[in-house]
């Protein structure tokens, strides 16, 4: 498959404002218009409902029936809940998803919490990719009664050292800690999508500083227009090799490492 891979998209309703393309057929059509042929998908419902089990089951069903583009479901898990182990087992053994997507800001925990590290350890043992939604909605547009801070990623180097099989994908990361950014990139086990990377020429600067091998195309659709992320890559005027690495090859390499056919 030669098209783009979007590693950061959602399906379902967003409670704070009306969004376009909230159902999978509409989202798929919109992503295909942007030249995207594969999407890694989670559900907004998993972030805000008290028990994500039914949300993940529905996500698996939707992705299994998708036909407009290739769709990989990433379940939402909450390590604060007492039965996350069973949910993780079903995700790996029943739904056979390639990974999970964590939302620490919305579920009220930090990366150093014991439950979060236990979940990461078990996900790594099962060969699952771990996505962490670092930042979604801009603080300036968040509901005044529902303020969600960005996830503090400074504990990640210690977590990586503790679990050498763990692979992490940071979604919505803003690249504001130069030393930490470089340390994570050099680990070879942390990847970043570009959905919240800001500034003129940002992708070109990231390639020069961190290398293309750790960067991924993520649109954060439908919160963002998919063309916004693609425009950052267009603006960077990368070599064709680096562009393919970011738009497709890195994502495929991660899926193959997780044992998923392309």
């Amino acid at each position: 498959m030669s098209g783009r891979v979007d590693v950061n998209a959602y399906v379902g309703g967003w409670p704070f404002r009306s969004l376009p393309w909230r159902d999978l057929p509409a989202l798929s059509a919109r992503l295909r218009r942007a030249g995207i042929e594969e999407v890694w998908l989670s559900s907004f419902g998993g972030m805000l409902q008290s028990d994500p089990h039914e949300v993940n089951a529905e996500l698996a069903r939707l992705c299994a029936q998708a036909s407009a583009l290739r769709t990989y479901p990433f379940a939402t898990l909450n390590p604060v809940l007492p039965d996350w182990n069973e949910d993780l087992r079903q995700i790996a053994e029943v739904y056979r998803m390639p990974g999970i997507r964590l939302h620490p800001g919305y579920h009220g925990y930090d990366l150093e919490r014991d439950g979060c590290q236990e979940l990461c350890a078990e996900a790594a043992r099962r060969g699952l990719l771990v996505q962490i939604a670092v930042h979604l909605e801009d603080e300036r547009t968040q509901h005044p009664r529902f303020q969600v801070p960005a996830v503090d990623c400074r504990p990640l180097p210690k977590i990586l050292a503790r679990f050498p099989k763990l692979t992490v994908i940071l979604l919505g990361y803003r690249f504001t800690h130069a030393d930490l950014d470089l340390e994570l990139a050099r680990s070879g086990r942390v990847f970043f999508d570009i959905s919240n990377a800001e500034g003129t020429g940002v992708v070109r600067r990231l390639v020069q500083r961190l290398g293309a091998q750790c960067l991924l195309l993520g649109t954060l659709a439908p919160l963002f227009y998919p063309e916004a992320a693609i425009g950052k890559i267009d603006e960077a005027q990368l070599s064709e090799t680096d562009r393919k690495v970011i738009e497709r090859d890195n994502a495929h390499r991660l899926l193959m490492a997780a044992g998923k056919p392309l």
Side-chain angles (χ1 to χ4, degrees):
M1 187 172 290
S2 59
R4 300 180 174 107
V5 181
D6 179 3
V7 305
N8 184 12
Y10 287 87
V11 68
W14 181 246
F16 307 110
R17 58 187 169 97
S18 180
L19 295 174
W21 338 303
R22 70 178 63 186
D23 61 76
L24 186 52
L27 177 66
S28 298
R30 190 65 180 80
L31 292 176
R32 285 194 66 87
R33 280 175 54 191
I36 292 167
E37 295 185 4
E38 301 177 49
V39 60
W40 298 8
L41 192 69
S42 288
S43 171
F44 282 133
M47 296 162 50
L48 299 174
Q49 293 186 23
S50 58
D51 186 351
H53 174 77
E54 292 186 3
V55 175
N56 292 329
E58 175 65 11
L59 178 67
R61 184 190 67 80
L62 285 174
C63 291
Q65 296 176 354
S67 58
L69 77 171
R70 196 162 191 174
T71 307
Y72 293 92
F74 277 69
T76 298
L77 284 187
N78 183 353
V80 176
L81 298 177
D83 56 351
W84 66 259
N85 305 73
E86 175 59 18
D87 284 341
L88 186 65
R89 185 195 67 80
Q90 291 188 356
I91 288 162
E93 298 179 8
V94 179
Y95 303 132
R96 299 188 178 278
M97 295 183 182
I100 59 176
R101 190 172 294 180
L102 305 182
H103 298 87
Y106 287 85
H107 289 155
Y109 64 90
D110 58 51
L111 299 183
E112 291 184 293
R113 184 186 180 102
D114 288 341
C116 178
Q117 295 202 33
E118 291 171 6
L119 188 155
C120 288
E122 182 62 14
R125 187 185 72 80
R126 290 180 174 274
L128 296 171
L129 303 172
V130 175
Q131 294 189 315
I132 300 174
V134 177
H135 195 276
L136 273 81
E137 195 173 25
D138 192 291
E139 292 88 345
R140 295 166 293 183
T141 63
Q142 290 179 11
H143 192 283
R145 296 291 186 181
F146 204 92
Q147 296 290 301
V148 180
V151 177
D152 184 358
C153 293
R154 287 176 294 181
L156 262 181
K158 291 183 178 179
I159 295 173
L160 293 169
R162 184 178 178 188
F163 308 118
K165 294 184 179 180
L166 178 65
T167 299
V168 174
I169 301 160
L170 298 179
L171 306 177
Y173 190 77
R174 285 186 165 175
F175 304 95
T176 55
H177 302 283
D179 292 342
L180 177 63
D181 302 349
L182 190 58
E183 182 178 4
L184 295 176
R186 285 177 173 173
S187 74
R189 294 189 286 128
V190 177
F191 298 78
F192 312 85
D193 92 328
I194 62 170
S195 62
N196 264 289
E198 297 180 343
T200 302
V202 62
V203 170
R204 186 169 188 83
R205 293 197 305 273
L206 290 174
V207 169
Q208 291 171 344
R209 183 161 62 93
L210 306 179
Q213 297 296 326
C214 66
L215 301 176
L216 298 159
L217 171 63
T219 69
L220 194 47
L223 281 174
F224 294 171
Y225 285 91
E227 289 82 3
I230 295 167
K232 296 173 189 177
I233 299 176
D234 289 339
E235 177 200 42
Q237 297 183 334
L238 303 174
S239 69
E240 189 63 22
T241 298
D242 282 346
R243 182 173 189 128
K244 288 181 179 178
V245 163
I246 296 170
E247 291 188 339
R248 182 193 66 209
D249 294 351
N250 286 340
H252 281 183
R253 179 159 54 93
L254 287 167
L255 286 175
M256 291 177 65
K260 299 302 173 185
L262 302 179

PDB file of all heavy atoms in Angstrom, residues 10 31 35 40 44 48 81 83 88 119 122 140 143 147 160 163 172 181-182 187-188 200 205 212 232 252 258:
ATOM      1  N   TYR A  10      -9.637   9.805  15.631  1.00  0.00           N
ATOM      2  CA  TYR A  10     -10.685   9.371  16.555  1.00  0.00           C
ATOM      3  C   TYR A  10     -12.014   9.255  15.824  1.00  0.00           C
ATOM      4  O   TYR A  10     -12.251   9.922  14.809  1.00  0.00           O
ATOM      5  CB  TYR A  10     -10.846  10.377  17.695  1.00  0.00           C
ATOM      6  CG  TYR A  10      -9.735  10.365  18.706  1.00  0.00           C
ATOM      7  CD1 TYR A  10      -8.582  11.127  18.511  1.00  0.00           C
ATOM      8  CD2 TYR A  10      -9.822   9.606  19.872  1.00  0.00           C
ATOM      9  CE1 TYR A  10      -7.551  11.131  19.445  1.00  0.00           C
ATOM     10  CE2 TYR A  10      -8.795   9.603  20.804  1.00  0.00           C
ATOM     11  CZ  TYR A  10      -7.671  10.367  20.591  1.00  0.00           C
ATOM     12  OH  TYR A  10      -6.652  10.364  21.514  1.00  0.00           O
ATOM     13  N   LEU A  31     -10.471  11.408   5.133  1.00  0.00           N
ATOM     14  CA  LEU A  31      -9.057  11.058   5.149  1.00  0.00           C
ATOM     15  C   LEU A  31      -8.578  10.628   3.764  1.00  0.00           C
ATOM     16  O   LEU A  31      -7.470  10.968   3.340  1.00  0.00           O
ATOM     17  CB  LEU A  31      -8.799   9.953   6.172  1.00  0.00           C
ATOM     18  CG  LEU A  31      -8.983  10.347   7.642  1.00  0.00           C
ATOM     19  CD1 LEU A  31      -8.796   9.130   8.541  1.00  0.00           C
ATOM     20  CD2 LEU A  31      -8.026  11.459   8.054  1.00  0.00           C
ATOM     21  N   GLY A  35      -5.440  11.803   0.833  1.00  0.00           N
ATOM     22  CA  GLY A  35      -4.420  10.850   0.407  1.00  0.00           C
ATOM     23  C   GLY A  35      -4.015   9.852   1.468  1.00  0.00           C
ATOM     24  O   GLY A  35      -2.964   9.211   1.363  1.00  0.00           O
ATOM     25  N   TRP A  40      -4.904   4.674  12.206  1.00  0.00           N
ATOM     26  CA  TRP A  40      -4.899   4.069  13.535  1.00  0.00           C
ATOM     27  C   TRP A  40      -5.932   4.835  14.352  1.00  0.00           C
ATOM     28  O   TRP A  40      -5.786   6.032  14.590  1.00  0.00           O
ATOM     29  CB  TRP A  40      -3.519   4.173  14.165  1.00  0.00           C
ATOM     30  CG  TRP A  40      -2.441   3.449  13.412  1.00  0.00           C
ATOM     31  CD1 TRP A  40      -2.540   2.862  12.174  1.00  0.00           C
ATOM     32  CD2 TRP A  40      -1.089   3.256  13.829  1.00  0.00           C
ATOM     33  NE1 TRP A  40      -1.334   2.320  11.806  1.00  0.00           N
ATOM     34  CE2 TRP A  40      -0.421   2.541  12.809  1.00  0.00           C
ATOM     35  CE3 TRP A  40      -0.375   3.618  14.961  1.00  0.00           C
ATOM     36  CZ2 TRP A  40       0.919   2.181  12.893  1.00  0.00           C
ATOM     37  CZ3 TRP A  40       0.966   3.269  15.062  1.00  0.00           C
ATOM     38  CH2 TRP A  40       1.603   2.554  14.028  1.00  0.00           C
ATOM     39  N   PHE A  44     -13.450   8.564  20.968  1.00  0.00           N
ATOM     40  CA  PHE A  44     -13.596   9.590  21.992  1.00  0.00           C
ATOM     41  C   PHE A  44     -14.318   9.048  23.230  1.00  0.00           C
ATOM     42  O   PHE A  44     -14.068   9.476  24.350  1.00  0.00           O
ATOM     43  CB  PHE A  44     -14.386  10.780  21.441  1.00  0.00           C
ATOM     44  CG  PHE A  44     -13.590  11.692  20.549  1.00  0.00           C
ATOM     45  CD1 PHE A  44     -14.107  12.120  19.341  1.00  0.00           C
ATOM     46  CD2 PHE A  44     -12.335  12.152  20.923  1.00  0.00           C
ATOM     47  CE1 PHE A  44     -13.394  12.980  18.516  1.00  0.00           C
ATOM     48  CE2 PHE A  44     -11.609  13.005  20.105  1.00  0.00           C
ATOM     49  CZ  PHE A  44     -12.153  13.428  18.895  1.00  0.00           C
ATOM     50  N   LEU A  48     -13.970   9.331  28.086  1.00  0.00           N
ATOM     51  CA  LEU A  48     -14.868   9.989  29.017  1.00  0.00           C
ATOM     52  C   LEU A  48     -15.904   9.068  29.657  1.00  0.00           C
ATOM     53  O   LEU A  48     -16.505   9.437  30.660  1.00  0.00           O
ATOM     54  CB  LEU A  48     -15.584  11.147  28.304  1.00  0.00           C
ATOM     55  CG  LEU A  48     -14.638  12.235  27.761  1.00  0.00           C
ATOM     56  CD1 LEU A  48     -15.401  13.256  26.943  1.00  0.00           C
ATOM     57  CD2 LEU A  48     -13.909  12.929  28.898  1.00  0.00           C
ATOM     58  N   LEU A  81      -8.644   1.905  36.702  1.00  0.00           N
ATOM     59  CA  LEU A  81      -9.730   0.952  36.898  1.00  0.00           C
ATOM     60  C   LEU A  81      -9.166  -0.397  37.351  1.00  0.00           C
ATOM     61  O   LEU A  81      -8.079  -0.811  36.916  1.00  0.00           O
ATOM     62  CB  LEU A  81     -10.522   0.777  35.606  1.00  0.00           C
ATOM     63  CG  LEU A  81     -11.229   2.039  35.081  1.00  0.00           C
ATOM     64  CD1 LEU A  81     -11.916   1.749  33.748  1.00  0.00           C
ATOM     65  CD2 LEU A  81     -12.226   2.561  36.089  1.00  0.00           C
ATOM     66  N   ASP A  83     -10.002  -3.493  36.646  1.00  0.00           N
ATOM     67  CA  ASP A  83     -10.040  -4.654  35.753  1.00  0.00           C
ATOM     68  C   ASP A  83      -9.323  -4.399  34.430  1.00  0.00           C
ATOM     69  O   ASP A  83      -9.633  -5.024  33.420  1.00  0.00           O
ATOM     70  CB  ASP A  83     -11.484  -5.071  35.488  1.00  0.00           C
ATOM     71  CG  ASP A  83     -12.319  -3.928  34.912  1.00  0.00           C
ATOM     72  OD1 ASP A  83     -11.815  -2.781  34.879  1.00  0.00           O
ATOM     73  OD2 ASP A  83     -13.465  -4.170  34.497  1.00  0.00           O
ATOM     74  N   LEU A  88      -7.073  -5.648  28.831  1.00  0.00           N
ATOM     75  CA  LEU A  88      -5.873  -5.779  28.013  1.00  0.00           C
ATOM     76  C   LEU A  88      -5.786  -7.175  27.406  1.00  0.00           C
ATOM     77  O   LEU A  88      -5.399  -7.336  26.240  1.00  0.00           O
ATOM     78  CB  LEU A  88      -4.635  -5.476  28.843  1.00  0.00           C
ATOM     79  CG  LEU A  88      -3.312  -5.437  28.071  1.00  0.00           C
ATOM     80  CD1 LEU A  88      -3.313  -4.284  27.073  1.00  0.00           C
ATOM     81  CD2 LEU A  88      -2.130  -5.294  29.012  1.00  0.00           C
ATOM     82  N   LEU A 119       0.700  -1.498  33.532  1.00  0.00           N
ATOM     83  CA  LEU A 119       0.015  -1.647  32.247  1.00  0.00           C
ATOM     84  C   LEU A 119       1.020  -1.623  31.107  1.00  0.00           C
ATOM     85  O   LEU A 119       0.951  -2.447  30.179  1.00  0.00           O
ATOM     86  CB  LEU A 119      -1.024  -0.539  32.089  1.00  0.00           C
ATOM     87  CG  LEU A 119      -1.986  -0.630  30.902  1.00  0.00           C
ATOM     88  CD1 LEU A 119      -3.275   0.131  31.222  1.00  0.00           C
ATOM     89  CD2 LEU A 119      -1.377  -0.054  29.639  1.00  0.00           C
ATOM     90  N   GLU A 122       2.867  -4.926  30.910  1.00  0.00           N
ATOM     91  CA  GLU A 122       2.073  -6.027  30.362  1.00  0.00           C
ATOM     92  C   GLU A 122       1.838  -5.829  28.865  1.00  0.00           C
ATOM     93  O   GLU A 122       1.862  -6.795  28.091  1.00  0.00           O
ATOM     94  CB  GLU A 122       0.735  -6.118  31.098  1.00  0.00           C
ATOM     95  CG  GLU A 122      -0.175  -7.252  30.650  1.00  0.00           C
ATOM     96  CD  GLU A 122       0.421  -8.643  30.874  1.00  0.00           C
ATOM     97  OE1 GLU A 122       1.425  -8.752  31.617  1.00  0.00           O
ATOM     98  OE2 GLU A 122      -0.117  -9.606  30.303  1.00  0.00           O
ATOM     99  N   ARG A 140      -6.636  27.002  25.283  1.00  0.00           N
ATOM    100  CA  ARG A 140      -7.449  28.206  25.090  1.00  0.00           C
ATOM    101  C   ARG A 140      -8.874  27.887  24.665  1.00  0.00           C
ATOM    102  O   ARG A 140      -9.772  28.727  24.803  1.00  0.00           O
ATOM    103  CB  ARG A 140      -6.793  29.116  24.045  1.00  0.00           C
ATOM    104  CG  ARG A 140      -5.437  29.680  24.490  1.00  0.00           C
ATOM    105  CD  ARG A 140      -4.678  30.283  23.334  1.00  0.00           C
ATOM    106  NE  ARG A 140      -4.278  29.268  22.368  1.00  0.00           N
ATOM    107  CZ  ARG A 140      -3.548  29.501  21.282  1.00  0.00           C
ATOM    108  NH1 ARG A 140      -3.136  30.737  21.023  1.00  0.00           N
ATOM    109  NH2 ARG A 140      -3.230  28.531  20.459  1.00  0.00           N
ATOM    110  N   HIS A 143     -13.107  23.597  27.661  1.00  0.00           N
ATOM    111  CA  HIS A 143     -14.240  24.018  28.482  1.00  0.00           C
ATOM    112  C   HIS A 143     -13.722  24.515  29.833  1.00  0.00           C
ATOM    113  O   HIS A 143     -12.848  23.880  30.435  1.00  0.00           O
ATOM    114  CB  HIS A 143     -15.188  22.837  28.688  1.00  0.00           C
ATOM    115  CG  HIS A 143     -16.510  23.208  29.262  1.00  0.00           C
ATOM    116  ND1 HIS A 143     -16.678  23.501  30.600  1.00  0.00           N
ATOM    117  CD2 HIS A 143     -17.735  23.335  28.689  1.00  0.00           C
ATOM    118  CE1 HIS A 143     -17.937  23.790  30.831  1.00  0.00           C
ATOM    119  NE2 HIS A 143     -18.605  23.710  29.704  1.00  0.00           N
ATOM    120  N   GLN A 147     -10.682  21.464  32.320  1.00  0.00           N
ATOM    121  CA  GLN A 147      -9.331  21.805  31.904  1.00  0.00           C
ATOM    122  C   GLN A 147      -8.425  20.582  32.031  1.00  0.00           C
ATOM    123  O   GLN A 147      -8.301  20.002  33.108  1.00  0.00           O
ATOM    124  CB  GLN A 147      -8.792  22.947  32.755  1.00  0.00           C
ATOM    125  CG  GLN A 147      -9.561  24.252  32.590  1.00  0.00           C
ATOM    126  CD  GLN A 147      -9.325  24.887  31.230  1.00  0.00           C
ATOM    127  OE1 GLN A 147      -8.197  25.200  30.867  1.00  0.00           O
ATOM    128  NE2 GLN A 147     -10.396  25.080  30.475  1.00  0.00           N
ATOM    129  N   LEU A 160      11.343   3.607  30.162  1.00  0.00           N
ATOM    130  CA  LEU A 160      11.951   2.851  29.066  1.00  0.00           C
ATOM    131  C   LEU A 160      13.082   1.974  29.576  1.00  0.00           C
ATOM    132  O   LEU A 160      13.250   0.827  29.130  1.00  0.00           O
ATOM    133  CB  LEU A 160      12.470   3.804  27.996  1.00  0.00           C
ATOM    134  CG  LEU A 160      11.419   4.600  27.205  1.00  0.00           C
ATOM    135  CD1 LEU A 160      12.102   5.674  26.380  1.00  0.00           C
ATOM    136  CD2 LEU A 160      10.588   3.691  26.323  1.00  0.00           C
ATOM    137  N   PHE A 163      11.540  -1.068  31.286  1.00  0.00           N
ATOM    138  CA  PHE A 163      10.858  -2.034  30.420  1.00  0.00           C
ATOM    139  C   PHE A 163      11.485  -1.992  29.026  1.00  0.00           C
ATOM    140  O   PHE A 163      11.026  -1.258  28.150  1.00  0.00           O
ATOM    141  CB  PHE A 163       9.364  -1.724  30.351  1.00  0.00           C
ATOM    142  CG  PHE A 163       8.708  -1.581  31.705  1.00  0.00           C
ATOM    143  CD1 PHE A 163       8.121  -0.401  32.086  1.00  0.00           C
ATOM    144  CD2 PHE A 163       8.703  -2.649  32.598  1.00  0.00           C
ATOM    145  CE1 PHE A 163       7.523  -0.259  33.323  1.00  0.00           C
ATOM    146  CE2 PHE A 163       8.105  -2.525  33.844  1.00  0.00           C
ATOM    147  CZ  PHE A 163       7.517  -1.328  34.212  1.00  0.00           C
ATOM    148  N   GLY A 172       0.404  14.173  19.822  1.00  0.00           N
ATOM    149  CA  GLY A 172       0.182  15.548  20.229  1.00  0.00           C
ATOM    150  C   GLY A 172       1.326  16.155  21.018  1.00  0.00           C
ATOM    151  O   GLY A 172       1.146  17.162  21.697  1.00  0.00           O
ATOM    152  N   ASP A 181      13.480  15.692  24.295  1.00  0.00           N
ATOM    153  CA  ASP A 181      13.123  15.272  22.939  1.00  0.00           C
ATOM    154  C   ASP A 181      14.235  14.414  22.338  1.00  0.00           C
ATOM    155  O   ASP A 181      13.983  13.339  21.768  1.00  0.00           O
ATOM    156  CB  ASP A 181      12.905  16.488  22.028  1.00  0.00           C
ATOM    157  CG  ASP A 181      11.830  17.434  22.532  1.00  0.00           C
ATOM    158  OD1 ASP A 181      11.100  17.066  23.463  1.00  0.00           O
ATOM    159  OD2 ASP A 181      11.748  18.545  21.986  1.00  0.00           O
ATOM    160  N   LEU A 182      15.464  14.889  22.462  1.00  0.00           N
ATOM    161  CA  LEU A 182      16.597  14.195  21.862  1.00  0.00           C
ATOM    162  C   LEU A 182      16.856  12.868  22.565  1.00  0.00           C
ATOM    163  O   LEU A 182      17.134  11.852  21.907  1.00  0.00           O
ATOM    164  CB  LEU A 182      17.839  15.085  21.934  1.00  0.00           C
ATOM    165  CG  LEU A 182      19.059  14.620  21.142  1.00  0.00           C
ATOM    166  CD1 LEU A 182      18.717  14.463  19.670  1.00  0.00           C
ATOM    167  CD2 LEU A 182      20.202  15.620  21.314  1.00  0.00           C
ATOM    168  N   SER A 187      16.516   6.917  21.878  1.00  0.00           N
ATOM    169  CA  SER A 187      16.240   5.596  22.456  1.00  0.00           C
ATOM    170  C   SER A 187      15.873   4.575  21.390  1.00  0.00           C
ATOM    171  O   SER A 187      16.045   3.368  21.589  1.00  0.00           O
ATOM    172  CB  SER A 187      15.091   5.707  23.472  1.00  0.00           C
ATOM    173  OG  SER A 187      13.842   5.883  22.810  1.00  0.00           O
ATOM    174  N   GLY A 188      15.351   5.033  20.259  1.00  0.00           N
ATOM    175  CA  GLY A 188      14.902   4.128  19.204  1.00  0.00           C
ATOM    176  C   GLY A 188      13.582   3.448  19.512  1.00  0.00           C
ATOM    177  O   GLY A 188      13.087   2.658  18.703  1.00  0.00           O
ATOM    178  N   THR A 200       6.530  27.690  11.802  1.00  0.00           N
ATOM    179  CA  THR A 200       6.946  27.619  10.405  1.00  0.00           C
ATOM    180  C   THR A 200       8.177  26.727  10.269  1.00  0.00           C
ATOM    181  O   THR A 200       9.143  26.864  11.026  1.00  0.00           O
ATOM    182  CB  THR A 200       7.267  29.033   9.882  1.00  0.00           C
ATOM    183  OG1 THR A 200       6.118  29.862  10.035  1.00  0.00           O
ATOM    184  CG2 THR A 200       7.680  28.989   8.418  1.00  0.00           C
ATOM    185  N   ARG A 205      12.803  21.236  10.785  1.00  0.00           N
ATOM    186  CA  ARG A 205      13.682  21.379  11.951  1.00  0.00           C
ATOM    187  C   ARG A 205      13.725  20.097  12.765  1.00  0.00           C
ATOM    188  O   ARG A 205      14.789  19.710  13.285  1.00  0.00           O
ATOM    189  CB  ARG A 205      13.209  22.542  12.834  1.00  0.00           C
ATOM    190  CG  ARG A 205      13.345  23.913  12.185  1.00  0.00           C
ATOM    191  CD  ARG A 205      13.268  25.025  13.223  1.00  0.00           C
ATOM    192  NE  ARG A 205      12.056  24.944  14.027  1.00  0.00           N
ATOM    193  CZ  ARG A 205      10.890  25.498  13.683  1.00  0.00           C
ATOM    194  NH1 ARG A 205      10.781  26.143  12.532  1.00  0.00           N
ATOM    195  NH2 ARG A 205       9.853  25.403  14.490  1.00  0.00           N
ATOM    196  N   ALA A 212      14.269  11.654  10.746  1.00  0.00           N
ATOM    197  CA  ALA A 212      12.950  11.257  10.254  1.00  0.00           C
ATOM    198  C   ALA A 212      12.490   9.926  10.831  1.00  0.00           C
ATOM    199  O   ALA A 212      11.290   9.627  10.854  1.00  0.00           O
ATOM    200  CB  ALA A 212      12.966  11.183   8.725  1.00  0.00           C
ATOM    201  N   LYS A 232       2.290  20.571   6.895  1.00  0.00           N
ATOM    202  CA  LYS A 232       3.580  20.722   7.583  1.00  0.00           C
ATOM    203  C   LYS A 232       4.669  19.936   6.865  1.00  0.00           C
ATOM    204  O   LYS A 232       5.822  20.372   6.787  1.00  0.00           O
ATOM    205  CB  LYS A 232       3.460  20.244   9.029  1.00  0.00           C
ATOM    206  CG  LYS A 232       2.508  21.048   9.888  1.00  0.00           C
ATOM    207  CD  LYS A 232       2.326  20.384  11.247  1.00  0.00           C
ATOM    208  CE  LYS A 232       1.212  21.029  12.045  1.00  0.00           C
ATOM    209  NZ  LYS A 232       0.963  20.351  13.338  1.00  0.00           N
ATOM    210  N   HIS A 252       4.493   1.469   9.208  1.00  0.00           N
ATOM    211  CA  HIS A 252       4.503   0.064   8.776  1.00  0.00           C
ATOM    212  C   HIS A 252       5.520  -0.745   9.564  1.00  0.00           C
ATOM    213  O   HIS A 252       5.272  -1.904   9.925  1.00  0.00           O
ATOM    214  CB  HIS A 252       4.807  -0.008   7.284  1.00  0.00           C
ATOM    215  CG  HIS A 252       3.620   0.290   6.428  1.00  0.00           C
ATOM    216  ND1 HIS A 252       3.644   0.216   5.055  1.00  0.00           N
ATOM    217  CD2 HIS A 252       2.353   0.658   6.754  1.00  0.00           C
ATOM    218  CE1 HIS A 252       2.450   0.518   4.567  1.00  0.00           C
ATOM    219  NE2 HIS A 252       1.667   0.799   5.584  1.00  0.00           N
ATOM    220  N   ALA A 258       4.760  -5.244  15.767  1.00  0.00           N
ATOM    221  CA  ALA A 258       3.646  -5.698  16.599  1.00  0.00           C
ATOM    222  C   ALA A 258       2.978  -6.950  16.051  1.00  0.00           C
ATOM    223  O   ALA A 258       1.967  -7.404  16.598  1.00  0.00           O
ATOM    224  CB  ALA A 258       2.613  -4.572  16.733  1.00  0.00           C
TER     225      ALA A 258
END
